[in-house]
Amino acid sequence: MSHPEEITRRQLLRRVGITAFAVGPGASLLAACATGGGNTPSAAPTTAAAGAVSPKNPFGVDAKKPLEVVIFSGGYTDSYAKDGHEPLYTKAYPGVTIKHTGTQQIGTQLRPRFLAGDAPDVVNNSGPESLDLAALANEGHLADLTPLWDAPSVDDPNKKIRDTITPAAIENAKLNGKDLVLNYTVSHRGLWYNAKLFATKGWKLPQTWEEFLALGETAKKEGIHLFAFPGQKGPYYQLWNMLYTAAKIGGNQVIIDIDNLVDNAWKSPAVKAAVEAWLNVQLKYSDKSYLGLDHTQVQVKHLQNKVLFYPCGSWLENEMMKDKPADFEYAIAPFPNVTAGDVMPYGAIQVGVGENFFVGAKGKNVQGGLEYLRIMLSKEGAKDFTAKTKNLTIVNGGAEGVDLPPGLVSAAKAQDAAGTDIITDARFEGWYKPLFDYAWQQQNTLMAGRMSVDEYLDKIQKKADDVKADSSVAKQSRNS
């Protein structure tokens, strides 16, 4: 099952520019990577050029004007900005001063500043404390990125930026019908496991839910939990896990309906089946004590072979690189078939764009902010990011020549096998952040066994209904 916006193997080869992946002797070439409008747009217009406009300086950046960059220092750390993108900016504009901040508390640090009218120029808005993008858009804090898409590429002035990146990034940039957000990375989300452990034990990846649970019984005898749910920071990983499993069961329309606030979308049979399946795994094959741990602590348990499968995205390997022992090799597994009638076949995998950046429309240097993003979207900027984070970007050719780790190669192989069976992104995280936060926060109670599946879905559906009925919330929509 495929939809127009989904990224196929051949499209990824062209768009992301990974022309070949050698996975071993005789291996085949592999694909290697990976919003519609509502209310009246309220983004503030980009201010006039401060300096002379040219193909090398399309926004008229004034090199004497300082630039402020705030980066979420999570799994990717902030080195890619501090030691990569920012030096490229200062090379292009000698003498410029860049104020850099790396933090895991984006919301705590920046929310008061936006309220006070003291916005940074560039923000990497990520992590559990990320800002509400829809609210910022409605308040006019997000600069229009249309001039960025239409600007000449750093690599080839005869090409527009929009022609050098994955088209899905432009589609996902939209809020209120305007291009306001840059999603910089291509990521794969699924179940991560230790390929070396599986090879040693002679275990095969389960393709059905019955096989998945049977492997859980086998692993339990060896003191290994089939699955783990961290209760502190990062439990939204499990919300993604449930939603993408629901899409596996019922098709991508399940997620599209949730994004579009369709009545009773959260109570669809596919969503209920996915939540029931994962709650059962949590109650029978996990460790409730992990509810007191954060995601990195549980990820260490995973590295210690105390957990067999961990739901996360392809940034996981880089995030845990310092803790990873030599006998652990990250690999991604597709979701097993939950029912005999799953709409999407075994092997379907989630591939999407993420890690959002925006330019502060009310910042002191909007032109510099747009130029910073243009430099990020150069091959040099993308290649340096991939080299430092071991994650792919939306830039065509942005990973050429980079030595990629086993986990990412595994994701490429899984995507190659999936073909057009790609599970779509859930976009309500950026569209209706209070709904997204409420949904994952309620999961702690659910996964602790203190709430039934019906109670959980009733609560989330009620929250979605409230969002839909709230006329102060700008509504977004998607067709595919």
Side-chain angles (χ1 to χ4, degrees):
M1 180 176 181
S2 63
H3 295 281
E5 79 172 53
E6 292 170 358
I7 310 171
T8 68
R9 173 183 180 272
R10 291 186 180 273
Q11 288 170 333
L12 278 165
L13 282 168
R14 293 196 302 269
R15 296 173 183 176
V16 184
I18 314 298
T19 55
F21 251 137
V23 184
S28 62
L29 301 183
L30 301 173
C33 60
T35 50
N39 293 359
T40 303
S42 57
T46 302
T47 54
V53 174
S54 69
K56 289 187 175 182
N57 186 5
F59 307 117
V61 173
D62 181 355
K64 297 178 182 178
K65 219 171 186 179
L67 185 75
E68 183 178 4
V69 179
V70 179
I71 302 293
F72 173 68
S73 185
Y76 297 139
T77 75
D78 61 343
S79 175
Y80 70 84
K82 186 169 53 177
D83 303 323
H85 296 150
E86 291 169 18
L88 288 176
Y89 186 93
T90 56
K91 180 181 178 181
Y93 301 94
V96 71
T97 300
I98 297 181
K99 179 182 178 182
H100 171 94
T101 301
T103 179
Q104 293 193 17
Q105 298 178 310
I106 293 291
T108 299
Q109 291 200 14
L110 295 188
R111 200 169 289 112
R113 292 189 55 186
F114 279 101
L115 291 172
D118 179 31
D121 301 308
V122 177
V123 177
N124 166 217
N125 182 52
S126 191
E129 289 194 24
S130 60
L131 295 159
D132 186 331
L133 289 173
L136 289 175
N138 293 335
E139 294 164 6
H141 283 299
L142 308 185
D144 187 352
L145 299 186
T146 304
L148 174 67
W149 306 145
D150 291 331
S153 163
V154 171
D155 303 303
D156 183 352
N158 294 317
K159 288 185 178 180
K160 294 181 179 181
I161 292 289
R162 68 171 66 250
D163 298 323
T164 67
I165 61 176
T166 303
I170 296 177
E171 179 63 26
N172 279 266
K174 296 184 184 301
L175 281 171
N176 299 341
K178 298 287 287 184
D179 296 329
L180 304 177
V181 182
L182 167 63
N183 288 289
Y184 189 57
T185 63
V186 175
S187 62
H188 302 74
R189 291 175 185 159
L191 302 174
W192 293 86
Y193 69 100
N194 181 2
K196 289 186 176 180
L197 175 66
F198 270 64
T200 299
K201 299 292 185 181
W203 293 340
K204 294 182 179 180
L205 290 180
Q207 296 192 15
T208 67
W209 208 253
E210 291 74 20
E211 292 173 354
F212 186 59
L213 299 182
L215 182 58
E217 293 291 346
T218 299
K220 184 189 291 186
K221 295 174 182 177
E222 301 202 24
I224 305 173
H225 299 293
L226 177 63
F227 165 82
F229 175 77
Q232 310 299 317
K233 293 185 180 180
Y236 52 87
Y237 293 171
Q238 178 56 21
L239 178 58
W240 290 333
N241 194 37
M242 288 179 173
L243 288 176
Y244 297 140
T245 301
K248 169 77 176 58
I249 298 169
N252 280 331
Q253 192 63 45
V254 172
I255 291 177
I256 293 168
D257 287 348
I258 284 174
D259 286 344
N260 287 340
L261 301 176
V262 170
D263 292 343
N264 291 318
W266 283 92
K267 301 174 78 170
S268 73
V271 175
K272 183 173 182 179
V275 175
E276 285 179 337
W278 282 111
L279 177 59
N280 178 60
V281 169
Q282 164 69 8
L283 296 179
K284 292 185 177 181
Y285 298 101
S286 188
D287 187 334
K288 287 186 180 180
S289 70
Y290 288 1
L291 290 170
L293 304 180
D294 65 27
H295 62 297
T296 53
Q297 290 171 319
V298 173
Q299 285 160 199
V300 169
K301 300 283 189 183
H302 188 216
L303 292 175
Q304 296 169 343
N305 289 327
K306 294 180 179 179
V307 174
L308 203 56
F309 291 104
Y310 183 74
C312 196
S314 48
W315 58 85
L316 176 64
E317 188 167 16
N318 184 68
E319 184 174 22
M320 303 306 294
M321 191 64 69
K322 293 180 180 178
D323 299 300
K324 188 177 73 66
D327 64 350
F328 194 102
E329 181 179 299
Y330 277 110
I332 194 170
F335 300 109
N337 294 334
V338 180
T339 74
D342 281 10
V343 169
M344 302 186 84
Y346 175 76
I349 192 168
Q350 201 282 328
V351 184
V353 294
E355 200 63 18
N356 68 76
F357 290 75
F358 65 82
V359 173
K362 300 178 183 180
K364 298 178 179 65
N365 191 355
V366 177
Q367 301 90 352
L370 291 171
E371 179 67 1
Y372 185 89
L373 297 191
R374 190 174 80 102
I375 289 171
M376 284 175 55
L377 294 170
S378 68
K379 285 186 179 180
E380 187 176 3
K383 182 176 180 179
D384 188 76
F385 177 91
T386 297
K388 286 183 167 64
T389 68
K390 305 305 180 187
N391 262 261
L392 301 168
T393 73
I394 61 173
V395 178
N396 296 349
E400 290 175 354
V402 180
D403 183 22
L404 297 173
L408 198 53
V409 174
S410 164
K413 290 180 66 176
Q415 184 180 317
D416 189 59
T420 59
D421 293 309
I422 302 298
I423 299 172
T424 190
D425 279 323
R427 299 186 192 167
F428 75 100
E429 175 181 0
W431 289 355
Y432 312 114
K433 193 171 188 298
L435 172 60
F436 179 81
D437 288 348
Y438 183 79
W440 68 256
Q441 288 163 0
Q442 290 298 311
Q443 282 189 328
N444 276 14
T445 304
L446 173 73
M447 300 299 265
R450 299 195 300 271
M451 181 189 294
S452 71
V453 171
D454 285 337
E455 287 173 325
Y456 174 73
L457 296 178
D458 284 345
K459 283 177 175 287
I460 309 308
Q461 186 58 58
K462 174 62 166 57
K463 184 69 173 179
D465 293 343
D466 291 344
V467 170
K468 185 174 183 177
D470 188 344
S471 60
S472 69
V473 177
K475 303 306 188 295
Q476 318 294 327
S477 65
R478 61 183 295 192
N479 295 318
S480 59

